[in-house]
Each structure stands twice: as C-alpha cells, then as structure tokens.
Amino acid sequence: MPPITRSAPALAAALWLTAAALPCPALEHDWQFAPQHWEGKALKAAKGDLKLVAAQEPDLYKTELKLGGEQLMWAEGVDPASLPQEKITVEAWLSLEKTQKWGGIAGFLQDNGSYERGWLLGYSDNGFTFWLSTGGPLMMLESPRGIVPGEPVHVAGVYDGASIKLYVGGKLEAQRAASGPIAYPDAAFYTLGAYKDANESYPMAGGTLRRVRVLDSALSEAEIRRHAGLREPLGFEIEPSVLFTGPGKARVEWLAGPPGSGTVGFGTSRALGSTARAFGGKMAGSGALSYAELENLEPDTKYYFRVAGLGGRLSEVMEFHTGFAFRAPTAGQPGDAAARGIGEYLSREPKALLPGWWFC
C-alpha cells in the first residue's frame, strides 16, 4: 500500500502573528518594518541604537517591507566589537518570490577570495543558507529544502560555539561542527535585504521582510520551533492510518494519549477546513486506539489531514487519496492485520474492512 506522505505545516498568518512579540535576553538588534520605525529612508532598530539607510523610499504593505531587486538597507562604520562574538542567532520572518545565486537576508561580511570573515543569513537558487567564519574561510550551510515562492517562512542561523545550525520553518535543516569566536572583518556593511560587501552587492530579487533579529546568544531548538509558529509535535505510539469504510467515508485511527481525545482536521488543501471529533476504539499496543470518521469525501481526490491532541499538540500534515478506496473483501477473506501495522486489533471482522490503508 502507498505510504501516507508528510508535508510541512502551513505557516501563513499564524507565522506572522508569532513574529509580533518575542521577548528574548541578549537581543542585539530587532528590525521591524512598520511605518513608525522609519524616518524617510532611515530605518531605526526597534531594539538597539543602530540605524540603517535604505537605497529607496520603503515600499510597505502594513508591517511588511516589499523588496524587488533594488531596495536594500545598510550601515557603514559599525564596530565589529559591538556585534555578537562567541554565540549568535540571526532569524528572519519573510517570504521570497524569486531566488538568486547570491541572496542575502541579513549579514555583516567580507568575501575577498582568500579573506573571508563575518556572517550572513541568506539563500541561493537551491535553498536558504547560513555563512559564518571563525577564522578560516566562511563555512556555509544550505538547506536541502527548496524555497517555495510566496510562502511565509521563518529562517534562523545559530552558532553556539560548538556547531553551526540552519533552521527553516522551525526544523533543523543542516549543521556542522565549528569552534572559536566569530571572526569579523576590520570593516564591512551591516546589511538587510541583500548580499553586500565591499566588492559586490546583490539586493533581494523579490519578496517581503516582516522582521529580522540578531541575538548575542544561541537559541535552543525549542525556542526556534516556537518562533516559527510550531507547537510541540504530537507523538504517536501507533501512527495514523486511513481506512476507507464506504462511499465518501474514511476512518483515521491512531494511538496517542487518552483514547477518544482530540480531533482530526481534514480538507482538500493544507488549510484543511473540516473537523471530525475523536472517539475511543478497541485496545491496541499499550492503550486504546482513537478514531475519527471523515465523511462527504470526494472520489479520486487528494486530501490532507492532521491530528490534534491534548494541549493543542499537533501532528504534521499528512495526505491520502480517495482513488485508493477499494471494494470490500469477499466474505471469509482474511485481513492482513500485521501488514497494516495495528496487530491483532485489525483482525476483527475482516469482511468489514476495506484494504485502503496507508502508513506514515
């Protein structure tokens, strides 16, 4: 049987709300782009005493700065000693309409071939990137996850003195070992919205910035997940499975928490839209399964679903396709319970089962 496939949770408006008010110790600079933070083409940090100068008058949509290939913000003469030295977190809430070979979100770096110093949170044609030097050449991390045009996303680069890490959407995408203090150039541009040093300047080709923060500390993975709008994931003892029970009907069953707790959201897009209540089922594993009945399903259609447990804990968004709903087995045909992953629980009344199970 084909597996249930997982996809990253949609962030959209919830992600922007997460960026609104985040307390954090050792916050170096907090860049927000609402009108009150601008004085003409000068952008004043919401936290910190630094000001950046924009190449153009800001093009704003509410609290977002729109970027289209010519806008960028920078400051000269920033003392490297005033920037994070031993640890750093650079995080941004943004969306990209276009990728480019050399993309920069926030940075302070100089790259002259053999002389590479500083740091940069950025992106390439392939994915988001984080660059950092501790004395040698700039070390680069690149996310294997491609960039989805227009998708609101949280990106963070973290250095804790022992390793460099890159998070996209709250998930660790790449890491490598590193040690020592951050190595800075004698002089560089402190830049937002571009890859820029003394020799090159590549503004963001298209997208929006909602917020950028630079911290003199290394945020934990739990903090990164929270900033990305992700709750603690719902853990399963038995992963969700989908059983087609009749025309336009399916049952989702899983084992996590008290039986009958939670709900299942489902729909034909990742926005879901419909909700089914959970009920308690028969014993399986170390507890009782929970199940939810999904109704009014369209034939030959891809559906997305997500299980919500106690305390608002959520599973990832998963998929199934109603094109895999088959006819019921004939009377006396045994159900292959072990292959379906639920054990003897599924061996009950095999003639009532439809072999449309998918697994994570």
Side-chain angles (χ1 to χ4, degrees):
M1 297 299 175
I4 293 174
T5 56
R6 293 180 179 269
S7 56
L11 300 180
L15 177 61
W16 287 162
L17 290 174
T18 302
L22 294 172
C24 185
L27 177 59
E28 196 77 20
H29 297 118
D30 185 359
W31 301 103
Q32 301 179 37
F33 303 98
Q36 64 266 28
H37 300 293
W38 292 88
E39 297 174 358
K41 293 194 292 184
L43 175 66
K44 186 180 186 307
K47 168 72 175 180
D49 56 3
L50 191 59
K51 281 188 178 182
L52 303 181
V53 177
Q56 300 177 328
E57 292 289 334
D59 183 3
L60 303 178
Y61 176 72
K62 296 182 179 179
T63 60
E64 299 174 27
L65 175 66
K66 297 165 65 176
L67 300 169
E70 298 180 359
Q71 179 67 292
L72 70 153
M73 297 139 285
W74 74 91
E76 296 184 68
V78 176
D79 184 359
S82 69
L83 299 175
Q85 301 294 310
E86 304 293 334
K87 301 178 180 181
I88 190 172
T89 299
V90 188
E91 61 178 343
W93 292 258
L94 74 156
S95 65
L96 292 175
E97 296 296 340
K98 300 178 181 178
T99 60
Q100 58 199 81
K101 183 177 181 179
W102 303 105
I105 300 166
F108 186 95
L109 87 162
Q110 183 60 44
D111 180 3
N112 287 345
S114 61
Y115 182 74
E116 301 180 6
R117 298 291 187 271
W119 48 264
L120 174 77
L121 182 65
Y123 59 95
S124 69
D125 284 326
N126 301 316
F128 289 101
T129 59
F130 184 48
W131 303 73
L132 186 136
S133 171
T134 57
L138 286 161
M139 296 172 281
M140 189 268 279
L141 298 178
E142 185 172 64
S143 168
R145 164 186 166 176
I147 294 171
V148 179
E151 178 188 43
V153 67
H154 174 269
V155 183
V158 178
Y159 175 56
D160 61 7
S163 64
I164 307 169
K165 299 177 180 179
L166 174 64
Y167 296 86
V168 180
K171 297 182 179 181
L172 181 62
E173 294 283 315
Q175 64 179 324
R176 63 174 292 174
S179 61
I182 300 170
Y184 282 100
D186 294 333
F189 295 98
Y190 186 118
T191 309
L192 297 183
Y195 178 107
K196 181 177 175 63
D197 65 8
N199 311 104
E200 301 170 296
S201 180
Y202 302 104
M204 288 175 62
T208 63
L209 286 177
R210 178 62 177 263
R211 190 175 183 180
V212 178
R213 304 194 330 152
V214 179
L215 295 85
D216 188 16
S217 64
L219 293 182
S220 68
E221 184 166 348
E223 290 171 312
I224 294 292
R225 286 181 58 84
R226 188 169 68 251
H227 292 190
L230 299 183
R231 296 172 177 170
E232 286 302 307
L234 178 62
F236 294 101
E237 183 175 334
I238 296 179
E239 296 277 345
S241 296
V242 177
L243 171 68
F244 298 100
T245 56
K249 297 180 180 180
R251 178 184 299 151
V252 179
E253 292 183 323
W254 68 95
L255 179 57
S261 61
T263 59
V264 173
F266 66 100
T268 56
S269 74
R270 289 186 175 86
L272 307 179
S274 299
T275 303
R277 175 188 169 189
F279 297 90
K282 291 189 177 182
M283 296 300 294
S286 64
L289 290 172
S290 295
Y291 70 92
E293 303 286 356
L294 315 186
E295 299 183 346
N296 301 315
L297 302 177
E298 295 293 329
D300 199 24
T301 301
K302 179 190 285 188
Y303 277 85
Y304 300 85
F305 74 97
R306 179 167 61 188
V307 179
L310 295 177
R313 298 175 68 188
L314 302 172
S315 74
E316 294 184 77
V317 175
M318 294 168 272
E319 303 172 6
F320 67 88
H321 200 291
T322 54
F324 285 85
F326 305 120
R327 290 183 178 180
T330 58
Q333 179 182 351
D336 187 359
R340 290 171 180 148
I342 305 294
E344 293 184 357
Y345 167 71
L346 289 181
S347 67
R348 74 198 193 286
E349 301 178 3
K351 63 181 179 295
L353 298 176
L354 296 138
W357 286 91
W358 295 10
F359 305 100
C360 296

